[in-house]
C-alpha cells in the first residue's frame, strides 16, 4: 500500500469507522472513501433504543465525528450515496448516480436490515421498525403517557424499547412467538429474570403468541393474534431480527451463506475484498458465525485494516454485548449455547447477580452479569482462557470474583 | 472549547479541543486517538476508555460513580489516578487537562 493506493469502504457505520480509523492508525497514507446511504456521518446505534430514545443524548454525540472532523482526518465520507454494484474483476464500484470508483482494496461494511413482517394490515400507519436514527425519532414521537404500544418480538431491542415506553407512561404489550423472552439470544435463566423484571414494571408479556395481522382504518388500532385475541394499541414496534446486507457481494460472485463468508483475516473469497460487521459470516475457530454486535464490528474492522497493512493482528476478545433496561445493566461475554450447566452467583431477587455457563467439564463458556461489572470483567478472562471453575466455588459469594483468575495460567 | 492532551503509552502527545458537556472519551474518538476504543460508546460497560488523569486535575474532575468504580476495580493496569474517560465530563475547569493511555490499550 502506498500514497496512491485507494481503499473504498461501502457502508458508513460502526465497522466502517473502525476500519478507517485503524487504517490511519496503522500508517496508511493513501485515499480512503466511505460511501453511506444515510444522510449523516457514521453513528452509534445502541443508544437508539437506550439513552437517545430516552432523550439523554443527542445526534452530535451519537456521531463518532462530524463530517468536518472526518475531512480533517483525510477520510472522505460520502453520505446519501448508495452503492449499487461491485465489479470485482475490474476493481471498481458504481454508485446510484452512475459514477464509478476504482479501488485497490474494498471493504464491505453494509450492516444489516430489519426483517419485515408481511401480514394483513402491515401497511397501516404507526407500525415501526428500529434500525436508524430516523426510526428512533419516529418512535420517540409516540412515547407519550397514556398511549398503548405493542412490541412484536422480545429480543433486546424490543425489551429496551418496552422499558423506555414504561418510563414514559405507556401501556406496553410484548408479543413473542417463542415460549420465553430473549429466546434466540439468552439462556432460559436470564430470560426468566427479564420476564419477571418487565412484569413487575407493568409490562404485559405474552409468550407463545402468533401475530396474525394489524387492524385499523388508516392508523393502527389493534394487533390481532392467531387465537383471535385483539390487543388494542396506538403504535406497534416490530423487532423480529435482521438480515445481512449481502446482495452486492452475492451479485459480485463472492461466497455468501447467511452473510458474506470471511476468513480469519476478514477477507472474502476475493482476496482484495474484505467484509466486516453485521454483514459478515466470519470464521471463528472451526465454525462460522454472523455476530450482530458493536464489539464484533469494531474487531473485524481492525482485523481487515491490519491485514491490508501487513500489521500485527489485533488482540482478539471473546464476543461480548450489553443492554440497558430500567436501572439494570446487563453485560454478557461468550456464547452460552453449548453450556450444560448454568450457575447463579448472587441473589437474583436483588437485581445484582451473574450467571456462569459451563460445559460438562466446568469450563466457563459464558457469563451474564446483571448490575455486576466484576463478574463481567472477570468473566471476559475466564471465557477467553476457557478456564475450568467448580460450580460450588462460583456460587460462593464469600469468594471474591477476582480469586477466580488465580486458576488462569 | 477546552484543550485536552492525550499521551499515548509510547509518549506520543495529541492536543485536542473538546466540547463542554461532552466526555473526555468523545473528544478522543472525534480525534482518532489511538488506544481509546470506547467500544460501548460511553455506557460504562467496556473499560476500553481507561486513562490515567494527571494529578493536578484529579480534584477538578467530577467524582466517580459506583458503576465506574466497580469497572475500574477489575480493569487492567489500574492506578490510583485511573478513570474511565467516558465518565469525565468536560468543562472550562479542565482547560489543559492531561491524560495518559495505559499500556494495555497501547
Ligand atoms: C436499536 C439498536 C440497538 C443496538 N444495541 C446494541 C448494543 O447494546 N450492543 C451491541 O453490541 N450492539 C447493539 N446493536 C447492534 C450494533 O449496532 C450493530 O451490530 C453494529 O452497528 C454493526 O455495525 P456495521 O458497521 O456492521 O453496520 P451499521 O452500523 O448498521 O452500518 C452499516 C451502514 O451501511 C449502510 N449501507 C448498507 N448498504 C449500503 C449500500 N449499498 N451503499 C451505501 N451504504 C450502505 C447502512 O445504511 C448503514 O448505515 C444495536 C443495534 C440497533 C439497531
Ligand atoms: S466507553 Fe465503554 S466504559 Fe467508557
Amino acid at each position: 500500500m502506498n500514497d496512491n493506493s485507494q481503499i473504498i469502504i461501502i457502508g458508513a457505520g460502526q465497522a466502517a469507522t473502525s476500519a478507517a480509523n485503524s487504517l490511519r492508525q496503522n500508517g496508511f497514507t493513501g485515499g480512503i472513501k466511505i460511501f453511506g446511504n444515510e444522510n449523516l456521518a457514521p453513528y452509534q446505534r445502541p443508544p437508539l433504543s437506550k439513552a437517545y430514545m430516552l432523550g439523554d443524548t443527542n445526534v452530535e454525540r451519537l456521531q463518532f465525528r462530524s463530517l468536518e472532523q472526518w475531512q480533517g482526518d483525510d477520510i472522505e465520507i460520502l453520505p446519501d450515496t448508495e452503492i449499487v454494484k461491485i465489479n470485482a474483476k475490474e476493481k471498481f464500484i458504481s454508485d446510484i448516480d452512475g459514477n464509478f470508483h476504482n479501488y485497490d482494496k474494498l471493504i464491505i461494511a453494509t450492516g444489516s436490515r430489519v426483517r419485515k413482517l408481511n401480514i394483513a394490515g402491515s401497511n397501516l400507519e404507526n407500525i415501526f421498525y428500529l434500525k436508524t436514527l430516523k426510526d428512533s425519532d419516529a418512535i420517540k414521537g409516540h412515547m407519550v403517557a397514556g398511549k398503548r404500544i405493542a412490541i412484536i418480538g422480545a429480543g433486546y431491542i424490543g425489551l429496551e424499547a418496552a422499558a423506555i415506553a414504561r418510563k414514559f407512561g405507556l401501556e406496553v404489550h410484548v408479543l413473542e412467538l417463542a415460549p420465553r423472552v430473549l429466546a434466540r439470544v439468552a439462556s432460559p435463566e436470564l430470560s426468566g429474570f427479564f420476564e419477571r423484571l418487565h412484569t413487575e414494571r407493568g409490562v404485559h408479556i405474552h409468550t407463545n403468541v402468533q401475530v396474525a395481522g394489524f387492524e385499523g382504518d388508516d392508523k393502527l388500532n389493534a394487533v390481532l393474534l392467531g387465537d383471535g385475541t385483539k390487543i388494542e394499541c396506538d403504535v406497534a414496534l416490530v423487532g423480529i431480527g435482521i438480515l445481512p446486507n449481502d446482495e452486492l457481494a452475492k451479485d459480485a460472485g463472492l461466497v455468501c451463506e447467511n452473510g458474506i463468508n470471511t476468513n480469519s483475516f476478514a477477507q472474502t473469497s476475493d482476496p482484495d475484498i474484505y467484509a466486516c460487521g453485521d454483514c459478515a459470516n466470519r470464521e471463528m475457530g472451526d465454525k462460522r458465525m454472523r455476530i450482530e454486535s458493536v464489539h464484533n464490528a469494531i474487531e473485524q474492522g481492525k482485523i481487515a485494516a491490519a491485514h491490508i497493512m501487513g500489521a500485527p493482528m489485533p488482540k482478539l476478545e471473546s464476543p461480548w454485548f450489553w443492554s440497558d433496561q430500567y436501572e439494570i445493566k446487563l453485560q454478557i461475554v461468550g456464547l452460552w449455547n453449548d453450556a450444560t450447566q448454568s450457575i447463579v452467583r448472587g441473589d437474583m431477587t436483588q437485581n445484582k447477580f451473574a450467571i456462569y455457563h459451563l460445559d460438562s467439564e466446568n469450563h466457563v463458556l459464558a457469563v451474564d452479569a446483571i448490575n455486576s461489572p466484576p463478574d463481567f470483567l472477570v468473566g471476559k478472562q475466564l471465557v477467553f482462557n476457557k478456564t475450568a471453575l467448580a460450580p460450588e466455588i462460583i456460587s460462593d459469594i464469600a469468594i471474591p470474583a477476582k480469586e477466580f483468575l488465580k486458576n488462569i495460567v | 472549547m477546552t484543550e485536552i492532551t492525550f499521551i499515548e503509552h509510547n509518549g506520543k502527545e495529541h492536543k485536542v479541543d473538546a466540547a463542554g458537556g461532552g466526555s473526555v472519551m468523545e473528544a478522543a474518538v472525534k480525534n482518532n486517538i489511538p488506544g481509546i476504543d470506547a467500544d460501548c460508546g460511553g455506557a460504562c460497560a467496556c473499560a476500553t476508555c481507561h486513562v490515567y488523569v494527571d494529578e493536578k486535575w484529579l480534584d477538578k474532575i467530577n467524582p466517580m460513580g459506583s458503576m465506574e468504580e466497580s469497572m475500574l476495580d477489575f480493569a487492567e493496569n489500574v492506578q490510583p489516578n485511573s478513570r474511565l474517560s467516558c465518565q469525565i465530563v468536560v468543562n472550562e475547569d479542565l482547560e489543559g487537562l492531561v491524560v495518559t493511555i495505559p499500556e494495555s490499550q497501547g
Side-chain angles (χ1 to χ4, degrees):
Chain A
M1 294 283 111
N2 58 42
D3 290 0
N4 298 321
S5 308
Q6 188 62 241
I7 296 178
I8 287 184
I9 305 179
I10 310 179
Q14 187 89 48
T17 301
S18 165
N21 286 347
S22 317
L23 281 166
R24 285 291 180 239
Q25 289 179 8
N26 280 314
F28 178 67
T29 52
I32 305 178
K33 274 193 190 141
I34 305 180
F35 292 89
N37 58 6
E38 293 184 71
N39 63 357
L40 70 171
Y43 61 93
Q44 314 173 47
R45 295 187 197 281
L48 298 181
S49 55
K50 307 182 183 73
Y52 180 78
M53 196 179 258
L54 271 172
D56 289 348
T57 186
N58 57 39
V59 186
E60 283 68 46
R61 296 182 70 183
L62 282 191
Q63 298 177 79
F64 300 105
R65 307 208 258 286
S66 64
L67 287 172
E68 300 80 67
Q69 279 164 326
W70 281 100
Q71 307 301 356
D73 287 324
D74 212 7
I75 294 170
E76 204 178 335
I77 300 249
L78 297 106
D80 259 333
T81 312
E82 168 103 9
I83 298 304
V84 293
K85 196 171 175 57
I86 300 171
N87 187 326
K89 209 161 139 231
E90 292 171 52
K91 295 176 74 170
F92 68 83
I93 59 167
S94 324
D95 68 28
I96 192 145
D97 305 316
N99 303 313
F100 303 121
H101 309 270
N102 296 315
Y103 64 81
D104 294 297
K105 301 282 178 191
L106 179 68
I107 300 175
I108 306 176
T110 44
S112 55
R113 62 181 177 279
V114 293
R115 192 190 287 272
K116 296 264 169 135
L117 201 53
N118 283 317
I119 51 175
S122 39
N123 293 329
L124 287 173
E125 249 179 77
N126 297 339
I127 300 172
F128 298 99
Y129 292 83
L130 181 47
K131 183 74 188 179
T132 63
L133 184 72
K134 258 197 211 146
D135 295 335
S136 184
D137 285 336
I139 297 160
K140 208 172 153 195
H142 290 273
M143 290 285 184
V144 177
K147 280 207 183 196
R148 299 158 304 175
I149 187 169
I151 296 177
I152 300 166
Y156 285 116
I157 293 177
L159 292 188
E160 287 173 354
I164 293 173
R166 285 303 295 152
K167 214 157 182 171
F168 283 115
L170 281 79
E171 179 182 314
V172 183
H173 292 269
V174 172
L175 310 171
E176 170 59 51
L177 184 62
R180 57 184 174 97
V181 303
L182 300 174
R184 197 174 57 91
V185 286
S187 63
E189 292 80 5
L190 194 60
S191 296
F193 169 76
F194 278 107
E195 189 157 334
R196 174 179 68 75
L197 176 76
H198 282 279
T199 306
E200 273 173 16
R201 304 298 164 98
V203 173
H204 305 278
I205 304 235
H206 311 255
T207 47
N208 286 314
V209 295
Q210 173 119 35
V211 172
F214 296 105
E215 290 189 352
D217 294 331
D218 298 326
K219 290 188 180 145
L220 175 73
N221 59 37
V223 174
L224 190 63
L225 303 184
D227 67 358
T229 316
K230 258 189 208 177
I231 308 276
E232 291 188 3
C233 60
D234 309 295
V235 201
L237 168 60
V238 184
I240 53 168
I242 61 173
L243 299 167
N245 287 330
D246 58 2
E247 289 70 17
L248 285 177
K250 272 189 200 150
D251 278 356
L254 304 180
V255 178
C256 296
E257 304 166 315
N258 175 32
I260 308 166
N261 287 16
T262 57
N263 64 17
S264 54
F265 302 118
Q267 248 171 335
T268 66
S269 52
D270 177 327
D272 289 322
I273 306 182
Y274 294 75
C276 311
D278 282 5
C279 68
N281 187 3
R282 68 189 278 199
E283 191 181 298
M284 289 185 87
D286 51 5
K287 345 185 212 214
R288 287 200 165 278
M289 290 193 67
R290 196 169 58 71
I291 302 178
E292 302 153 14
S293 79
V294 165
H295 166 251
N296 174 65
I298 293 179
E299 184 168 274
Q300 285 188 295
K302 284 188 189 171
I303 292 174
H307 194 253
I308 290 173
M309 295 303 292
M313 279 293 128
K315 200 171 111 195
L316 299 189
E317 281 186 343
S318 307
W320 69 271
F321 189 84
W322 78 97
S323 176
D324 295 326
Q325 295 169 42
Y326 310 103
E327 71 292 346
I328 304 289
K329 181 174 295 293
L330 166 72
Q331 295 162 293
I332 292 185
V333 59
L335 303 163
W336 65 276
N337 311 58
D338 295 331
T340 56
Q341 343 167 38
S342 297
I343 314 298
V344 176
R345 175 175 164 82
D347 184 352
M348 280 180 112
T349 62
Q350 296 299 308
N351 295 351
K352 189 175 161 69
F353 65 96
I355 308 173
Y356 285 64
H357 302 279
L358 314 179
D359 68 10
S360 55
E361 289 159 358
N362 292 347
H363 296 116
V364 181
L365 301 184
V367 175
D368 308 327
I370 288 81
N371 286 340
S372 188
D375 288 295
F376 170 67
L377 291 172
V378 165
K380 256 184 157 176
Q381 297 190 49
L382 296 173
V383 170
F384 187 81
N385 293 291
K386 247 192 152 199
T387 310
L389 210 56
E392 58 276 15
I393 292 187
I394 294 172
S395 57
D396 186 349
I397 50 167
I399 306 173
K402 235 176 197 166
E403 298 282 315
F404 298 170
L405 299 177
K406 295 208 168 128
N407 301 328
I408 297 180
V409 277
Chain B
M1 284 292 176
T2 303
E3 189 185 272
I4 300 179
T5 304
F6 292 91
I7 307 179
E8 286 184 59
H9 180 70
N10 61 17
K12 197 165 167 210
E13 286 192 17
H14 305 262
K15 277 196 199 319
V16 311
D17 282 326
S23 70
V24 170
M25 173 280 281
E26 286 166 26
V29 169
K30 296 207 186 294
N31 292 281
N32 199 7
I33 306 294
I36 308 243
D37 285 347
D39 288 6
C40 77
C44 205
C46 72
T48 62
C49 65
H50 176 194
V51 296
Y52 305 130
V53 176
D54 188 293
E55 310 285 338
K56 275 182 279 185
W57 281 272
L58 273 181
D59 52 355
K60 292 194 185 137
I61 57 182
N62 54 302
M64 250 192 247
S66 61
M67 202 61 163
E68 180 184 358
E69 204 166 327
S70 169
M71 286 292 284
L72 273 174
D73 213 12
F74 287 82
E76 282 177 71
N77 302 97
V78 175
Q79 300 180 1
N81 60 342
S82 285
R83 288 294 304 260
L84 294 179
S85 59
C86 68
Q87 304 301 310
I88 307 177
V89 184
V90 176
N91 61 40
E92 293 123 46
D93 293 349
L94 301 191
E95 177 61 32
L97 172 70
V98 179
V99 300
T100 308
I101 296 162
E103 182 178 9
S104 47
Q105 286 161 221

